[in-house]
Amino acid sequence: MKYIKVLLISLAVILATALVIAYLFYSKANTELYTLDATARKDVAGSFITLKDGVTHYELSGADTGKVVVLVHGFSVPYYIWDSTFSRLVQEGFRVLRYDEFGRGFSDRPDVVYEAPLFRRQLSDLLDGLHIKSVHAIAGLSFGGPVVADFVGHNPGLVSKVILVDPVYPEAGPQDMPFSESFQRYKMALSPETMVSGQLTDLKYPARFPSWADQYKVQM
């Protein structure tokens, strides 16, 4: 009995030590050190609007009389992924809107379930807040594809044209995740460079975008 007691105490000490070490590694590696507030957004380009679910970062440019085009980014990279497309459309005379979806870029990270109604509501509230009554075309990239498709499905009379660029199809739900959210967060904190290097593999000519990694790291 005494042997079992000593064994259990030893195991408890080992487990406690392992947890402390793991926490220290996490604290040192974690890049999420700052609060996303007015101070963090002070010198950020673009505009901000407070919607029902939080603050949204957006940019609206082009002739007031131009046809409205909305650009919706994907799962990971914020609205700057549309930089060249945005500029070209404005030059062509369109009135162009792009924004950071909740959880990305300089938009808020509301403590809610991130599912279709949240993103649909964000876009709807943004258009209402900017007094946009009709959309000539809306484009969704990757994860932005289902966001756009869901939005148009619920607002069929608002949009004339839909453009889907490499749209994501949700084959697996949260219940199919192999590991818990906490473990995924821990793993990400220990190797943040994985997300950054992963972005560069999406570019055909990464050398042409020397500031891409640093730009991406900001939201991390």
Side-chain angles (χ1 to χ4, degrees), residues 94-117:
F94 292 98
R95 187 156 178 76
V96 190
L97 170 66
R98 59 176 173 171
Y99 67 99
D100 289 338
E101 295 172 88
F102 285 132
R104 291 293 180 265
F106 287 96
S107 287
D108 274 350
R109 278 82 165 131
D111 187 13
V112 297
V113 177
Y114 283 67
E115 55 187 358

Side-chain angles (χ1 to χ4, degrees), residues 1-215:
M1 190 62 128
K2 183 178 180 180
Y3 172 77
I4 295 177
K5 184 177 180 180
V6 171
L7 179 61
L8 291 175
I9 293 175
S10 300
L11 290 175
V13 171
I14 292 173
L15 178 60
T17 302
L19 290 174
V20 169
I21 293 174
Y23 176 76
L24 291 175
F25 271 115
Y26 175 82
S27 299
K28 183 178 181 180
N30 184 26
T31 59
E32 294 186 335
L33 305 176
Y34 307 112
T35 300
L36 186 57
D37 54 17
T39 300
R41 295 176 171 124
K42 185 177 62 171
D43 299 319
V44 175
S47 302
F48 296 90
I49 184 172
T50 301
L51 307 177
K52 295 173 185 175
D53 295 288
V55 174
T56 290
H57 177 222
Y58 73 94
E59 183 176 9
L60 178 62
S61 186
D64 292 340
T65 56
K67 294 180 179 179
V68 175
V69 177
V70 179
L71 304 175
V72 183
H73 67 75
F75 171 78
S76 185
V77 184
Y79 82 29
Y80 67 75
I81 198 168
W82 290 110
D83 278 353
S84 57
T85 307
F86 184 90
S87 299
R88 181 60 183 269
L89 288 172
V90 170
Q91 292 173 10
E92 294 293 331
F94 292 98
R95 187 156 178 76
V96 190
L97 170 66
R98 59 176 173 171
Y99 67 99
D100 289 338
E101 295 172 88
F102 285 132
R104 291 293 180 265
F106 287 96
S107 287
D108 274 350
R109 278 82 165 131
D111 187 13
V112 297
V113 177
Y114 283 67
E115 55 187 358
L118 173 68
F119 297 109
R120 184 195 320 144
R121 190 164 57 245
Q122 181 187 19
L123 180 51
S124 180
D125 292 347
L126 178 59
L127 293 175
D128 288 344
L130 298 177
H131 308 292
I132 296 176
K133 304 300 181 182
S134 64
V135 175
H136 173 66
I138 185 169
L141 167 66
S142 190
F143 175 77
V147 172
V148 163
D150 174 77
F151 177 80
V152 174
H154 285 81
N155 301 275
L158 181 63
V159 181
S160 298
K161 302 179 186 299
V162 179
I163 303 167
L164 302 180
V165 184
D166 190 24
V168 165
Y169 181 81
E171 295 181 355
Q175 70 276 7
D176 299 316
M177 293 286 284
F179 303 106
S180 69
E181 180 181 344
S182 297
F183 179 81
Q184 295 285 7
R185 187 183 299 115
Y186 181 80
K187 180 182 177 183
M188 184 66 66
L190 293 183
S191 57
E193 294 297 329
T194 301
M195 282 294 289
V196 179
S197 60
Q199 297 302 319
L200 295 177
T201 61
D202 288 340
L203 302 175
K204 186 173 184 179
Y205 303 108
R208 296 181 183 179
F209 302 89
S211 63
W212 188 271
D214 291 335
Q215 195 174 13

